Amino acid sequence: MAHVTALHLKYKYPGSDTLALHDISFSVERGECIGIIGENGSGKSSLCQALAGLIPGFYKGAYGGKVLLDGQEAAHMDADTLCRKVGLVFQNPFNQVTGAKLTAYEEVAFGLENIGVPREEMHARVREAMELLHIYEYREHYPFDLSGGQMQRMAIAGVFAMRPEIIVLDEPVSQLDPQGRKEVFEAIRTLSGHGITIFLAEHNMEQIAAFCDRVALLHEGRLICMDTPARLFSRDDLETYGVEAPVFTKLARVLQVRGQDGLFPVTLEETKRLFMEKRQTGAGVLEWLE
Ligand SMILES: Nc1ncnc2c1ncn2[C@@H]1O[C@H](COP(=O)(O)OP(=O)(O)OP(=O)(O)O)[C@@H](O)[C@H]1O
Ligand SMILES: [Mg+2]
C-alpha cells in the first residue's frame, strides 16, 4: 500500500473564489523524498498543510477529495494520531518556536510533553534528536538566541523527536543564510536516511534535483506532473509554469549534452560526468567552453 495518497484533493480558502488546490491525485511510497515546486501562489504551502492535516483540520474553507496516510484518511484522524504520523516544519523557524520555553532542550521536548511521553523516554528521544541534528551542544541556550540555521534545526529536532513517519517541510531554508541552508539540508538528508517519507517545498531547483526522488510541479493549484527530477527538468515547457530547471540542466540543454536516456543531467556531478564522456568521445564540448 502507498504510504501517502492524495485523491482528487480540492481546497478553497474561506472567502476566496479560486481553488488553491485543484483535483490533485498522487501516491508516494514509504521513504520517498518528494520535492514540491511551482511559482508563488501555485499551491505549495496549501498542499503541505493538507498533507499535515491542517487543511481541513485547522483552516476552514471548502475541502474535497482526500489525503490517505497508510490508507487512513487524514481528515478523520484525531490530532494526537495525526501529529505522531506527520510533522510539519514551517518556512520561518520563528513561527515554529513556542516562545514558552527557556532552553532549546525544553523546546525540542515540547511536543513530547504534550502527548504525555514518559519522562525517561522523553529525555532519550530529545537527546537523540538533538545529537542527530548537531544541536545538543546548544541545549541550554535560549531558543531565540540561536542562529537561523540552529533554530530551524531545533524546530526539525522537535518534529523528529515525535517519531513521525512523514515530515513535510515548507521552504525550510528560505529565511536562512548560506551556512544555515547547508546545515538544514544536511539535517534533511539525515532524516531521509532514517526512512522517513519527506515532502519538501522549495524554490532552489539545484537542491530539489540533488535531494528528491520525485518532484511535484504545481501550477494554479493543479498538479502538472510528478516525476523524477531528470524527466521533469528535461521538459520543454517549464517556463509556462513559472519555474526554471537547475542551472546545470540549462547549460547541458544549451550544449545539447544528454545522458543515454535522452534526458538532461540535473546535478553538478552528473553534468560533469557527461561532459567528461563527451570529451572522451571527441565531442569537444569542454574545448568549446575553453
Ligand atoms: N490564508 C489564505 N487565505 C486565502 N487565500 C490564501 C491563503 N493562503 C494562500 N491563499 C491563496 O491560495 C493560493 C495558493 O497559495 P499557497 O500559499 O499555497 O502558494 P505557494 O505555492 O505556497 O506560494 P509561495 O511560493 O508564495 O509560498 C494563492 O492563490 C494564495 O493567494
Ligand atoms: Mg508557500
Side-chain angles (χ1 to χ4, degrees):
M1 187 200 299
H3 196 200
V4 181
T5 306
L7 278 178
H8 304 295
L9 186 62
K10 287 194 188 102
Y11 179 67
K12 202 164 66 165
Y13 285 95
S16 167
D17 29 280
T18 51
L19 286 167
L21 299 173
H22 201 137
D23 199 16
I24 292 187
S25 297
F26 59 76
S27 62
V28 166
E29 297 304 319
R30 190 176 288 273
E32 269 195 289
C33 179
I34 305 293
I36 303 175
I37 64 170
E39 62 186 358
N40 292 136
S42 58
K44 301 179 299 295
S45 295
S46 306
L47 180 59
C48 288
Q49 312 273 9
L51 292 169
L54 292 180
I55 288 174
F58 179 74
Y59 291 97
K60 301 304 166 202
Y63 179 82
K66 44 182 101 162
V67 170
L68 301 172
L69 308 175
D70 264 333
Q72 273 185 292
E73 205 173 329
H76 294 167
M77 287 182 185
D78 59 70
D80 224 41
T81 315
L82 197 61
C83 74
R84 286 169 203 255
K85 196 96 181 157
V86 39
L88 177 63
V89 176
F90 299 100
Q91 186 165 10
N92 189 338
F94 275 94
N95 295 340
Q96 192 119 7
V97 177
T98 64
K101 299 294 179 185
L102 291 177
T103 67
Y105 186 96
E106 291 170 17
E107 187 63 44
V108 173
F110 185 77
L112 296 177
E113 244 174 21
N114 274 348
I115 59 168
V117 171
R119 212 151 179 81
E120 258 180 35
E121 188 185 339
M122 186 177 84
H123 286 311
R125 279 162 70 164
V126 170
R127 183 172 181 154
E128 182 200 20
M130 293 189 92
E131 282 180 347
L132 194 70
L133 300 174
H134 306 295
I135 47 164
Y136 190 63
E137 62 188 286
Y138 309 116
R139 63 189 175 280
E140 296 303 334
H141 288 222
Y142 181 56
F144 290 105
D145 283 346
L146 299 177
S147 73
Q150 291 160 355
M151 203 187 282
Q152 190 60 296
R153 282 183 290 145
M154 175 183 73
I156 297 175
V159 168
F160 178 80
M162 299 288 282
R163 305 241 167 106
E165 297 171 20
I166 302 151
I167 296 186
V168 180
L169 303 110
D170 187 4
E171 295 193 48
V173 300
S174 62
Q175 311 281 323
L176 308 181
D177 63 13
Q179 176 59 23
R181 285 168 192 246
K182 190 165 162 275
E183 291 169 7
V184 170
F185 271 111
E186 277 166 16
I188 301 170
R189 205 181 279 286
T190 306
L191 301 179
S192 184
H194 275 66
I196 296 172
T197 302
I198 291 177
F199 290 89
L200 171 65
E202 172 62 44
H203 280 289
N204 183 316
M205 300 302 157
E206 286 76 26
Q207 297 285 13
I208 285 281
F211 266 88
C212 300
D213 300 309
R214 288 192 294 152
V215 184
L217 169 60
L218 296 180
H219 187 247
E220 295 177 353
R222 293 174 194 269
L223 179 64
I224 303 302
C225 79
M226 188 156 172
D227 213 335
T228 61
R231 278 203 291 266
L232 191 146
F233 290 128
S234 290
R235 286 174 69 122
D236 294 328
D237 59 354
L238 290 179
E239 277 183 25
T240 323
Y241 304 115
V243 297
E244 292 188 349
V247 62
F248 319 114
T249 314
K250 288 200 272 188
L251 177 62
R253 182 184 284 275
V254 169
L255 299 174
Q256 281 299 305
V257 175
R258 295 171 192 259
Q260 282 185 338
D261 50 11
L263 301 174
F264 293 115
V266 295
T267 60
L268 175 62
E269 295 69 32
E270 224 181 324
T271 308
K272 193 171 151 196
R273 186 178 60 75
L274 285 180
F275 275 34
M276 299 307 264
E277 266 177 35
K278 289 277 179 205
R279 177 144 80 171
Q280 275 156 17
T281 56
V285 174
L286 291 184
E287 285 80 349
W288 184 84
L289 278 177
E290 283 153 14

